[in-house]
Amino acid sequence: MPKDSSEAETIPSWMNLEFLENVFKSDNIDEDFEIKSFDIKRATAAGDNYLSLIYRATVQITKRGQSENRSLIIKCQPAGEAIQKVTKNYELFEQEARMLKDVLPAMHKLLREANVENFSPFSAKLLYSHFSSTLQVIVLEDLKESGFEMLERTAGLDQEHCMMVMRKLAQFHAASLVLKEKNPELLETLIDPISEEMVEKEFDKFFMNLLTDLCGEIEKNNEELKIYIDKILKISERAAARWAEGRKRIEKEFSVLAHGDAWVNNMLFHYSKEDNQLLDMRLVDYQMSLWTSPGVDLQYFLNSSPAMDLLVDQTMFIEEYHTVLGETLSALGYQHLHITLDHLNQLFEKRGFFGMLSIFGIRNIVMVDDENIMDFDKIANQIDVSYKFSKIYMESLKIQVPLMEERGWLVTA
């Protein structure tokens, strides 16, 4: 008989034989199959994901007399009632399923048929999804089986990895521009997604408490940053609203389908076995995707995830993104949709305040110590939470905050 993990007490009861059989049937596997055994465990640690729980199911099946091992990723809503309410009310899992089932395969088809150089899929394959009043779940292929891995978040990504991210985002954005021309109906729910309401309504207290505690930490332990305390406190008063504004599209502005949550933990990388050379990457977690300025993804990533020595000069990354965006649009036959590098830089600067909030909010999550992982259920419940800041994060602020001031992003209006 099939058996579940030895850690059964941590595994939801619905993750059982019947559930796995439904997954395999949904994946159009040969009808003649039988699940012989399965083992389910948590696939990520605290701090890796905040709006979902990730499990890995290792399943042994027999198909026409042949034994086969399969590995699945099961993504479901967290146990906390407040986070469950957020994910359900704002249809975050449904949105991700639409991305994985309809939007991304259509983008892949465009790029594949155009023989775009260095094209590889943007995501894992969706195998199954189910949404009800009590359960929100999607099941994906396990990219670990193909050699993809998540990197240590606190180290930050080096230049080679950041360049690959720029190329992947550029292809992603280019394909979305062409898809909107060819099949605009696929993107309708992403033009003004209801998840944007969540950003402002659910996380107002988060930003207020976070920035207040940050100023307290600066006051006690960071003499270099004390001159910025008044500005940071002023920013905290409307930070959530400004964060939401920073993500939204602007009418008639050059816009693309943004991933919307492009930080290091939502990226998996693949290396050659022979010499550990970086070969490929995938983006994961499409719950916050939306149609908006490319500056949203660029600001979010470049201010949250690079290693310390790459925080000062972002020019080479913007230029690489621009080059690949143009090359991809040309290959797709839509070069006329490209923009100039000056225009792209203007779009990037226009989202500078959003980039600043990415430093205060997202980079802190990237750099947080394991013992100080945020409790997002308390945050969603609007409960006061005390925030701690790692030494490496405070060191990065010594670089980033003066840069924000210099570029005019550290503004309170």
Side-chain angles (χ1 to χ4, degrees):
M1 288 294 294
K3 62 178 180 178
D4 62 6
S5 169
S6 58
E7 299 173 355
E9 67 277 8
T10 68
I11 308 302
S13 60
W14 54 265
M15 285 190 198
N16 52 26
L17 175 61
E18 181 182 4
F19 170 76
L20 292 172
E21 288 177 336
N22 288 334
V23 171
F24 282 105
K25 289 175 183 176
S26 178
D27 191 34
N28 296 317
I29 195 171
D30 192 306
E31 287 291 330
D32 182 23
F33 79 93
E34 180 183 1
I35 296 177
K36 304 298 289 185
S37 65
F38 63 89
D39 184 68
I40 302 177
K41 296 178 180 178
R42 282 288 300 272
T44 56
D48 288 342
N49 306 86
Y50 287 94
L51 293 175
S52 59
L53 290 178
I54 311 294
Y55 297 86
R56 173 172 285 109
T58 304
V59 187
Q60 183 186 39
I61 66 172
T62 56
K63 188 169 58 172
R64 297 186 177 182
Q66 298 295 313
S67 180
E68 180 180 329
N69 290 322
R70 296 281 297 272
S71 184
L72 314 173
I73 292 296
I74 304 170
K75 181 175 181 178
C76 62
Q77 76 272 41
E81 289 185 11
I83 287 293
Q84 285 191 16
K85 182 178 178 182
V86 167
T87 58
K88 182 181 176 183
N89 287 353
Y90 300 103
E91 299 181 358
L92 300 187
F93 280 81
E94 289 90 335
Q95 174 165 305
E96 181 165 25
R98 285 193 292 269
M99 284 287 295
L100 294 166
K101 181 181 179 181
D102 301 320
V103 177
L104 294 175
M107 290 164 62
H108 293 159
K109 185 172 185 288
L110 289 172
L111 294 165
R112 192 175 290 113
E113 290 179 348
N115 292 315
V116 171
E117 187 177 0
N118 297 320
F119 163 69
S120 63
F122 300 123
S123 67
K125 179 185 175 183
L126 176 69
L127 304 177
Y128 174 84
S129 62
H130 175 83
F131 310 108
S132 68
S133 60
T134 57
L135 179 63
Q136 302 166 72
V137 60
I138 62 176
V139 181
L140 307 159
E141 66 171 324
D142 185 0
L143 290 172
K144 186 177 180 181
E145 293 293 290
S146 302
F148 287 84
E149 59 186 271
M150 182 186 295
L151 301 189
E152 164 53 44
R153 57 182 166 78
T154 59
L157 297 180
D158 64 15
Q159 181 176 325
E160 183 183 18
H161 287 79
C162 288
M163 283 295 195
M164 178 166 280
V165 173
M166 290 297 100
R167 291 191 287 271
K168 182 65 74 171
L169 287 175
Q171 286 192 342
F172 181 83
H173 291 170
S176 76
L177 286 167
V178 177
L179 184 65
K180 194 168 189 296
E181 294 281 308
K182 288 177 169 287
N183 302 100
E185 69 281 358
L186 289 179
L187 298 168
E188 286 178 2
T189 61
L190 298 158
I191 300 300
D192 294 301
I194 59 174
S195 61
E196 289 311 280
E197 301 172 17
M198 175 194 78
V199 177
E200 182 173 352
K201 291 182 179 180
E202 307 293 344
F203 293 100
D204 182 64
K205 205 164 196 175
F206 161 68
F207 274 109
M208 175 71 77
N209 291 342
L210 176 72
L211 294 178
T212 300
D213 287 352
L214 175 60
C215 288
E217 175 66 23
I218 292 172
E219 183 67 45
K220 288 188 296 182
N221 299 313
N222 206 311
E223 192 68 32
E224 296 176 46
L225 296 177
K226 283 185 179 180
I227 59 173
Y228 304 107
I229 285 178
D230 288 344
K231 282 192 173 183
I232 296 172
L233 286 174
K234 186 69 176 175
I235 288 166
S236 72
E237 296 173 7
R238 290 193 65 246
R242 294 295 301 276
W243 173 265
E245 290 169 12
R247 281 175 47 91
K248 287 181 180 177
R249 70 183 178 93
I250 298 173
E251 287 287 347
K252 298 183 179 180
E253 183 181 67
F254 178 81
S255 298
V256 298
L257 178 60
H259 178 277
D261 198 11
W263 67 299
V264 59
N265 271 24
N266 284 335
M267 300 166 183
L268 300 177
F269 296 92
H270 181 47
Y271 307 85
S272 66
K273 293 181 179 179
E274 294 76 21
D275 56 7
N276 205 39
Q277 179 183 351
L278 177 61
L279 299 176
D280 198 5
M281 69 166 290
R282 297 286 187 274
L283 295 163
V284 300
D285 198 344
Y286 290 86
Q287 291 181 331
M288 300 300 291
S289 297
L290 77 164
W291 191 262
T292 188
S293 167
V296 170
D297 273 349
L298 294 175
Q299 287 281 6
Y300 193 103
F301 172 74
L302 290 174
N303 287 301
S304 69
S305 301
M308 196 90 72
D309 62 330
L310 300 175
L311 297 175
V312 175
D313 187 2
Q314 300 163 329
T315 304
M316 61 181 167
F317 299 125
I318 301 296
E319 291 177 349
E320 180 74 5
Y321 168 89
H322 180 262
T323 297
V324 177
L325 183 72
E327 291 173 349
T328 308
L329 287 170
S330 292
L332 290 165
Y334 283 76
Q335 175 63 27
H336 62 283
L337 297 179
H338 197 27
I339 59 173
T340 66
L341 181 58
D342 283 344
H343 189 181
L344 178 62
N345 281 319
Q346 290 169 12
L347 293 173
F348 184 76
E349 290 294 325
K350 194 171 184 177
R351 302 286 171 155
F353 192 91
F354 176 78
M356 178 201 65
L357 290 175
S358 298
I359 293 169
F360 289 142
I362 307 306
R363 189 163 179 86
N364 179 47
I365 292 173
V366 172
M367 298 295 169
V368 69
D369 295 326
D370 289 344
E371 62 270 22
N372 294 316
I373 297 297
M374 297 180 188
D375 186 334
F376 261 58
D377 196 58
K378 290 182 178 178
I379 292 169
N381 245 326
Q382 300 288 317
I383 295 173
D384 288 337
V385 178
S386 294
Y387 297 95
K388 305 295 182 181
F389 307 92
S390 67
K391 289 182 179 179
I392 190 171
Y393 175 66
M394 297 307 295
E395 286 300 311
S396 74
L397 286 187
K398 291 179 183 179
I399 298 171
Q400 291 179 293
V401 173
L403 280 173
M404 288 188 289
E405 177 80 325
E406 182 181 323
R407 299 183 78 162
W409 299 352
L410 194 67
V411 294
T412 58

